[in-house]
Amino acid sequence: LVVRSKELNLKDYSVCFGNAKTLLSKFLSDTKYSMFFVLVDENTKTHCLPLISEAVSGFEVIEITSGEVNKNLETCNLIWNKLIEKNAGRNTLLINLGGGVIGDMGGFCAAVYKRGIDFLQIPTTLLSQVDASVGGKLGIDFNLIKNCIGVFRNPLQVIIDSDFLSTLPKREFLSGYAEIYKHALIFDDEYWKLLQKYPPLNNINTKELNEIIYSSVEIKKKVVEQDPFEKNIRKILNFGHTIGHAVETYFLERDEKPLLHGEAIIVGMICESYLSSKFNGLSEESLKDIISTFGYSYQYRLIPKSAHLKILSFIKNDKKNIAKENNFTFLNKIGDSKINCTANKEEIIDALNFYNKTVI
Ligand SMILES: NC(=O)c1ccc[n+]([C@@H]2O[C@H](COP(=O)([O-])OP(=O)(O)OC[C@H]3O[C@@H](n4cnc5c(N)ncnc54)[C@H](O)[C@@H]3O)[C@@H](O)[C@H]2O)c1
Ligand SMILES: [Zn+2]
């Protein structure tokens, strides 16, 4: 592992790695905002806000209730109402302090409030640090369709501090690690081999964790820079997500112990690796490697047969699907992937059955 620079520069913003309070103070020192708002949920208010509050003098806190179920228009209303109540003008900065829910929804609220106010992303979960923090996708769920309403817009800066992760529940940490595995599988086989040395359940030390977070953000940056609006190559990031999103929505709708995003993506990656092995030349050996690597850390949930039709209908509604065709990213091999692949209904059900067999 090599020590690398603490900043990644994208076209119109940068991702800074290090102590959040220091980085935020530095950012604010040469800006002139008339008002500051910090968006938090009950968890980031307790665990994360104290770590940065000294960096901002005089800010309003907007607190929302945590959870994907609240990533919706009602919560946006609450945020906009609070901004209006405090007479927030265009010269306002919104600091989104939290996981992907806060980042996506806070960013969206900022992007459309008075046609757009500035915002900063300070992601505090592993998932939001390695994935949601880069790429400009903002939005909310609508009619139970994930990320159905949203926009592309970049923050002024992203601040990534792995110290926040010390209070993150283990399950959330694992959920974020799923996206890290995804980055390796679609893009970098050496990185995959390295990750196999650092299973997320073995305590990874700070230095290694910082390197892993940096490498993942770097991969995401390389991909989104080539294709900011997801017309082609960026779709490789959807590996595991066509089926994964549908599985996530299925459990969210049933509202009985929903799966975390990354947990659903693990299910999706197993199914889509299976489809890759059937239709895209991924070797049997690689498929086994993927399943055993995941199996070391993740607990699987059975997908009941009665869920198949629902899951298929969610895949049809997924915004990633062009017209009638299901749109998949398949692996060619570990570290290399191909966009615009298809699988039909029967093949998807076959993949879900394969997953269940692997899990039992
Ligand atoms: N915009 C994108 O490109 C992108 C990419 C991936 C995912 N997402 C979105 O991100 C969301 C998932 O994000 P997430 O996994 O971060 O979930 P989350 O935002 O729901 O956070 C998970 C939980 O951890 C708590 N939490 C956050 N930081 C904490 C900390 N430091 N200590 C203790 N608890 C903490 C939160 O309060 C919440 O209960 C989904 O809505 C997904 O659609 C967006
Ligand atoms: Zn994801």
Side-chain angles (χ1 to χ4, degrees):
L1 293 168
V2 259
V3 180
R4 281 175 281 202
S5 95
K6 293 288 178 211
E7 196 168 314
L8 280 171
N9 293 306
L10 285 92
K11 213 170 110 228
D12 50 3
Y13 65 107
S14 55
V15 184
C16 300
F17 299 80
N19 179 269
K21 192 174 92 183
T22 312
L23 290 168
L24 183 58
S25 300
K26 190 164 160 245
F27 172 84
L28 293 176
S29 66
D30 35 73
T31 57
K32 281 201 180 72
Y33 289 100
S34 47
M35 287 183 101
F36 300 100
F37 288 81
V38 183
L39 180 66
V40 292
D41 61 31
E42 72 282 4
N43 299 314
T44 62
K45 187 182 180 188
T46 308
H47 300 299
C48 307
L49 189 57
L51 274 67
I52 60 148
S53 53
E54 282 169 27
V56 200
S57 56
F59 59 89
E60 298 283 343
V61 174
I62 308 179
E63 184 180 341
I64 61 170
T65 309
S66 67
E68 182 72 31
V69 287
N70 297 309
K71 188 176 148 183
N72 57 26
L73 259 186
E74 287 77 68
T75 314
C76 291
N77 281 345
L78 191 149
I79 296 168
W80 289 319
N81 273 320
K82 182 89 184 205
L83 291 169
I84 290 165
E85 186 190 307
K86 300 284 174 191
N87 292 317
R90 306 244 353 244
N91 193 26
T92 294
L93 180 73
L94 178 66
I95 300 170
N96 296 315
L97 182 68
V101 168
I102 292 265
D104 279 15
M105 184 161 48
F108 172 66
C109 286
V112 297
Y113 180 74
K114 306 219 168 184
R115 301 201 177 84
I117 56 170
D118 288 346
F119 63 100
L120 288 184
Q121 301 291 47
I122 309 189
T124 62
T125 63
L126 183 60
L127 186 130
S128 57
Q129 295 189 343
V130 299
D131 191 355
S133 66
V134 186
K137 280 188 182 178
L138 308 169
I140 53 166
D141 305 336
F142 189 71
N143 283 352
L144 284 167
I145 302 166
K146 285 261 308 166
N147 303 324
C148 179
I149 308 285
V151 294
F152 281 98
R153 191 176 169 126
N154 289 321
L156 288 188
Q157 192 172 97
V158 181
I159 291 174
I160 295 185
D161 183 348
S162 64
D163 278 358
F164 288 124
L165 306 180
S166 63
T167 54
L168 195 65
K170 201 80 211 171
R171 203 178 147 203
E172 295 290 348
F173 188 84
L174 276 169
S175 172
Y177 221 84
E179 300 285 359
I180 291 177
Y181 279 133
K182 180 194 76 181
H183 289 144
L185 286 174
I186 57 173
F187 205 77
D188 188 341
D189 63 329
E190 291 298 320
Y191 187 38
W192 173 255
K193 286 187 200 118
L194 179 118
L195 292 178
Q196 289 180 310
K197 285 196 222 151
Y198 299 108
L201 285 179
N202 298 8
N203 285 324
I204 306 170
N205 76 37
T206 311
K207 186 167 170 286
E208 289 153 359
L209 183 59
N210 282 337
E211 287 295 337
I212 288 169
I213 293 171
Y214 185 96
S215 301
S216 259
V217 176
E218 198 177 29
I219 290 176
K220 177 122 191 212
K221 164 184 149 54
K222 280 183 191 157
V223 174
V224 300
E225 271 187 338
Q226 285 180 58
D227 175 23
F229 299 111
E230 202 171 293
K231 301 230 180 313
N232 43 68
I233 170 109
R234 184 169 178 167
K235 291 187 203 165
I236 65 171
L237 294 166
N238 293 331
F239 173 62
H241 282 61
T242 305
I243 293 179
H245 261 166
V247 167
E248 186 179 10
T249 309
Y250 170 78
F251 283 106
L252 186 69
E253 191 185 48
R254 292 175 57 88
D255 206 26
E256 43 157 66
K257 221 171 155 268
L259 282 183
L260 299 181
H261 178 71
E263 292 170 335
I265 296 317
I266 291 285
V267 179
M269 286 195 285
I270 292 175
C271 293
E272 294 177 23
S273 296
Y274 170 76
L275 292 171
S276 303
S277 77
K278 265 190 100 174
F279 304 115
N280 202 45
L282 179 73
S283 70
E284 281 291 316
E285 191 196 343
S286 296
L287 177 64
K288 281 191 191 139
D289 185 22
I290 293 167
I291 291 168
S292 68
T293 303
F294 291 168
Y296 186 79
S297 304
Y298 293 88
Q299 284 186 336
Y300 298 127
R301 179 106 57 99
L302 267 176
I303 311 287
K305 281 213 165 18
S306 58
H308 288 175
L309 283 181
K310 269 271 174 205
I311 289 173
L312 285 173
S313 78
F314 289 134
I315 290 175
K316 249 173 58 192
N317 279 328
D318 194 306
K319 66 174 173 12
K320 288 190 291 296
N321 296 333
I322 319 165
K324 322 177 264 310
E325 297 230 295
N326 297 311
N327 198 333
F328 284 91
T329 294
F330 286 160
L331 300 176
N332 306 321
K333 55 185 187 192
I334 289 177
D336 188 27
S337 46
K338 185 172 151 204
I339 62 169
N340 297 334
C341 299
T342 57
N344 66 28
K345 230 171 73 185
E346 288 72 28
E347 291 156 353
I348 295 170
I349 289 176
D350 184 31
L352 288 166
N353 284 329
F354 171 82
Y355 165 81
N356 270 359
K357 271 187 268 153
T358 323
V359 172
I360 298 165

